[in-house]
Amino acid sequence: MTADADQFRQSMDDALNTLRELRANRPSAEELVRIRGEATAADGLIAVVASPGGRVESITVAPQVLRQGSGYLAEQLTIAVNAALDDLQARTVAEAPDTPSPAVLLDRLADVQQQSVHQMQSFLSALTSAQARTARPAG
């Protein structure tokens, strides 16, 4: 096997291993269902719970907040919902701390792509040369 082929094989192995790590370290569906993001706003008078898929599972509003007016209520609800979604994202990432970065995977796949193009060009060049040699008249 040539050095180019060995390098290509190693790059493919690295990319495949990264994909296997992603799959192996991915939280199961059951684990994801249990993950919740939680947050409060308005000094704890508004509580929000978010579930996977960016869904809001519950909103609890203390009656005292309603006296502050609709603008304040809307502002504080927005703060609580966004914080709960941020908390959910952080908890989801924490469930799979050893997951390789997508940027690393993209870099490895880009290397594989470059090497495969280089190898394909070499292969086609060799085929073209072989064809040219066989098409020449003998003698």
Side-chain angles (χ1 to χ4, degrees), residues 92-131:
T92 300
V93 169
E95 287 291 320
D98 297 330
T99 303
S101 162
V104 170
L105 179 59
L106 286 174
D107 288 345
R108 288 184 183 172
L109 289 175
D111 288 345
V112 169
Q113 180 186 28
Q114 285 179 337
Q115 289 176 9
S116 64
V117 166
H118 175 71
Q119 281 202 299
M120 186 56 77
Q121 287 171 338
S122 296
F123 177 71
L124 290 175
S125 177
L127 281 176
T128 302
S129 294
Q131 183 181 18

Side-chain angles (χ1 to χ4, degrees), residues 41-42 45-48 59-81:
L45 298 175
I46 296 175
V48 174
I59 297 175
T60 305
V61 179
Q64 302 92 303
V65 177
L66 300 176
R67 295 184 200 117
Q68 300 297 320
S70 62
Y72 179 77
L73 177 62
E75 175 187 318
Q76 295 301 306
L77 279 169
T78 301
I79 290 169
V81 167

